[in-house]
Amino acid sequence: MRPESTFLAGYDPTAFPPVAVTVDIVVLTIRDGALHVLLVERAEHPYRGRLALPGGFVRDETLAEAARRELAEETGLRPGEATLARVHLEQLRTYGDPGRDPRMRVMSVAYLGFAPSLPDPRAGGDAASAAWLPVDDVRDLAFDHDVVLADGLERARAKLEYTPLGTAFLGPEFTIGELRAVYAAVWGEQLHPGNFHRKVLSVPGFVESTGGTTSRGGERGGPRARLYRAGDATLLHPALLRPTREEQVR
Amino acid sequence: MRPESTFLAGYDPTAFPPVAVTVDIVVLTIRDGALHVLLVERAEHPYRGRLALPGGFVRDETLAEAARRELAEETGLRPGEATLARVHLEQLRTYGDPGRDPRMRVMSVAYLGFAPSLPDPRAGGDAASAAWLPVDDVRDLAFDHDVVLADGLERARAKLEYTPLGTAFLGPEFTIGELRAVYAAVWGEQLHPGNFHRKVLSVPGFVESTGGTTSRGGERGGPRARLYRAGDATLLHPALLRPTREEQVR
DNA sequence: TGAGTAAGACTCAAGATGAGAACAACGGAG
DNA sequence: CTCCGTTGTTCTCATCTTGAGTCTTACTCA
């Protein structure tokens, strides 16, 4: 084997079978207290009629640009829209097994997105087949998208531990209780309100007070809550660890 | 924009400009107490004579298989070799900006590897231009490989915090002191020997005793040390946190 | 107006961490 | 062969962090 010549051969487009590159996006949001993912119904073979992650071919643009463009198209948000700019997008992983697409070799660069509450995808046109679904109800996606979604969920759960990205699911101002609801939805377990409150306020840069409060109490009672906005930290130190992972560690 | 038709158009190999897919590998090892990375000198333009990460074109194989094949070629280890099987390899990130390669669009799927002490790359042939270099001395790599290396180092430093992968840099049996030297080399700072010892033994599944000890003390004195092997944990709980990151958090 | 709910401030025990001391076992220099 | 410096291992102790629970107060809804 001759490594350099192999390496260089990679640049001759005629020397190897063609490869297509797509981005697929795992966009998560929280609706009615449950974690939802944006899915589209496939209109063509293969996997016609099956649900799939939104995505598309990469054009003359960076991978991140492709992901944000696809996100705008599938959510029906205008590309310049402020809400869209508030969606956090990061690269998740690349899936490229031969045979993952029956037609040809397709490399899919998956992105993971955290979105604040967004409207239903625009009705009419191709986007009519897009919808937010609770992640617990999702299975049997097209291609290897079940695996992509599972990887995205695991990444999202881990990210909430050591980054302040939980705030990306919320509006510009939020209460500690709303932030706790985000953690509960993503992690799938309840958190101790008092301890969560203490922890969030004690981690430097996680949130900062706006000085204001909600204009009324909760729907089922309780006092008005103070409002916060996201702080300037990019990493939480010390991290917020998920409870009870003793068993899953092996 | 019509998302589904865009998506499907991605599968027509003639509809878009050709794309090449390579794997590039950030293989780390520890030599003489310092973190080293495997680099090759490029024999052809572009970046002729410059150092680069080892890598090559992806053939009819999975991305992980391509990475392991390239690793075997560049290190001179036989594909079936036991040492090679002990190298931990994981996908790092995909780099695909237009223009990152001047000749055509190249998507590079980067892999990160943790290797126990390996021999110098085989002399003679193309592999003569490969060598282990201390990561602190590395700069001005070809393509965007400086960024890839930096991302790999940051991932490696983080992985040592919450996984037992530090043991992947060592042989099948090791002492706590050797493991501490791995952490010191990767993190670039000294650790408190007593606290590190206590921590490693208290985290469930990190290491398990072999019952034996080294046959003689350290080179500069000290008693014989007990030997351990890697435990069955895949995640460390609680994690071993790096000291003093207060400033880097923002 | 009363019942129920939730925000936020506490308390307290248990666990984890950082810094350092102590001691024994060893290699190497002389 | 002996002393010195080095290192593995165990301890101590103060401090910080966490998990679990209580208490007070402000609010909504019936």
Side-chain angles (χ1 to χ4, degrees):
Chain A
M1 211 37 56
R2 306 184 63 206
E4 272 84 7
S5 55
T6 302
F7 189 65
L8 291 168
Y11 295 104
D12 177 359
T14 64
F16 290 89
V19 178
V21 179
T22 63
V23 291
D24 289 315
I25 316 180
V26 180
V27 209
L28 303 176
T29 197
I30 291 172
R31 298 188 142 205
D32 307 321
L35 191 62
H36 284 59
V37 61
L38 184 66
L39 295 175
V40 299
E41 186 181 326
R42 286 184 54 78
E44 304 293 339
H45 287 291
Y47 299 104
R48 181 174 187 154
R50 289 272 282 280
L51 292 173
L53 296 171
F57 193 72
V58 176
R59 305 179 190 171
D60 185 21
E61 62 197 346
T62 67
L63 296 168
E65 284 164 0
R68 196 163 290 274
R69 175 179 52 75
E70 290 293 337
L71 176 65
E73 292 172 1
E74 307 286 0
T75 57
L77 292 170
R78 286 185 304 276
E81 201 140 4
T83 314
L84 186 62
R86 288 190 45 249
V87 176
H88 167 84
L89 264 186
E90 65 178 50
Q91 192 180 305
L92 175 59
R93 189 187 165 82
T94 296
Y95 302 82
D97 280 5
R100 62 177 289 278
D101 188 300
R103 290 160 298 183
M104 64 176 290
R105 182 119 195 213
V106 178
M107 298 280 166
S108 165
V109 183
Y111 273 74
L112 175 65
F114 295 168
S117 218
L118 294 180
D120 274 313
R122 216 179 18 208
D126 288 0
S129 55
W132 294 100
L133 269 81
V135 293
D136 290 339
D137 299 350
V138 174
R139 61 186 67 83
D140 297 326
L141 296 181
F143 306 107
D144 50 6
H145 289 186
D146 283 323
V147 173
V148 181
L149 175 58
D151 289 349
L153 289 175
E154 180 45 39
R155 170 82 67 91
R157 289 177 181 129
K159 278 265 167 177
L160 257 57
E161 290 193 306
Y162 61 92
T163 73
L165 287 175
T167 60
F169 288 107
L170 299 170
E173 299 195 352
F174 50 84
T175 69
I176 302 292
E178 288 165 349
L179 184 58
R180 176 161 47 84
V182 168
Y183 276 79
V186 176
W187 286 351
E189 47 194 324
Q190 294 306 310
L191 284 85
H192 185 296
N195 291 342
F196 184 84
H197 196 276
R198 173 183 61 185
K199 176 73 183 172
V200 168
L201 294 186
S202 73
V203 174
F206 193 175
V207 299
E208 56 188 37
S209 175
T210 68
T213 68
T214 54
S215 59
R216 43 159 296 160
E219 298 197 1
R220 292 196 298 276
R224 299 177 184 179
R226 292 181 202 155
L227 288 171
Y228 297 85
R229 55 178 158 260
D232 59 355
T234 56
L235 289 174
L236 301 183
H237 189 77
L240 273 111
L241 295 181
R242 280 177 270 186
T244 58
R245 295 193 298 158
E246 309 308 318
E247 308 307 316
Q248 300 98 298
V249 160
R250 307 294 159 98
Chain B
M1 216 30 57
R2 307 184 60 208
E4 272 84 6
S5 54
T6 302
F7 188 64
L8 292 166
Y11 295 104
D12 177 359
T14 65
F16 290 89
V19 177
V21 179
T22 63
V23 291
D24 289 315
I25 317 179
V26 179
V27 210
L28 303 176
T29 198
I30 290 172
R31 296 189 142 205
D32 308 320
L35 191 61
H36 285 59
V37 60
L38 184 67
L39 296 175
V40 299
E41 186 181 326
R42 286 184 55 76
E44 304 292 338
H45 286 290
Y47 299 103
R48 179 173 190 156
R50 289 272 282 280
L51 292 173
L53 296 171
F57 195 72
V58 177
R59 306 178 189 173
D60 186 20
E61 63 199 343
T62 67
L63 296 168
E65 285 163 359
R68 197 163 289 276
R69 175 179 53 74
E70 290 292 339
L71 176 65
E73 292 172 3
E74 306 287 0
T75 57
L77 292 170
R78 287 184 303 277
E81 202 140 2
T83 314
L84 187 62
R86 290 190 44 249
V87 176
H88 167 83
L89 264 186
E90 65 178 52
Q91 193 182 303
L92 175 60
R93 189 187 166 84
T94 296
Y95 301 83
D97 281 4
R100 63 177 288 278
D101 188 299
R103 292 161 295 185
M104 66 176 289
R105 183 125 194 206
V106 179
M107 297 281 166
S108 165
V109 183
Y111 273 75
L112 175 64
F114 295 168
S117 217
L118 294 180
D120 274 311
R122 214 178 19 207
D126 288 359
S129 56
W132 294 100
L133 269 82
V135 294
D136 290 338
D137 298 349
V138 174
R139 60 186 67 83
D140 298 324
L141 296 180
F143 305 107
D144 50 5
H145 288 186
D146 282 323
V147 173
V148 180
L149 175 58
D151 289 350
L153 290 174
E154 181 45 39
R155 170 82 69 90
R157 291 180 180 127
K159 278 266 167 175
L160 256 58
E161 290 193 305
Y162 61 92
T163 72
L165 287 176
T167 60
F169 287 108
L170 299 170
E173 300 195 348
F174 51 84
T175 68
I176 302 292
E178 289 166 347
L179 184 58
R180 177 162 47 84
V182 168
Y183 276 80
V186 176
W187 285 350
E189 46 194 328
Q190 294 306 311
L191 284 83
H192 184 294
N195 291 343
F196 184 84
H197 196 276
R198 172 183 62 186
K199 177 70 184 175
V200 167
L201 295 186
S202 73
V203 174
F206 194 176
V207 299
E208 55 188 36
S209 175
T210 68
T213 68
T214 53
S215 58
R216 45 159 294 163
E219 299 197 1
R220 292 195 296 276
R224 299 177 184 178
R226 293 184 200 151
L227 288 170
Y228 298 85
R229 55 179 158 259
D232 59 355
T234 56
L235 288 175
L236 302 183
H237 189 76
L240 272 108
L241 295 182
R242 278 177 272 185
T244 58
R245 295 193 299 156
E246 309 307 320
E247 307 308 317
Q248 300 97 302
V249 159
R250 307 293 160 95

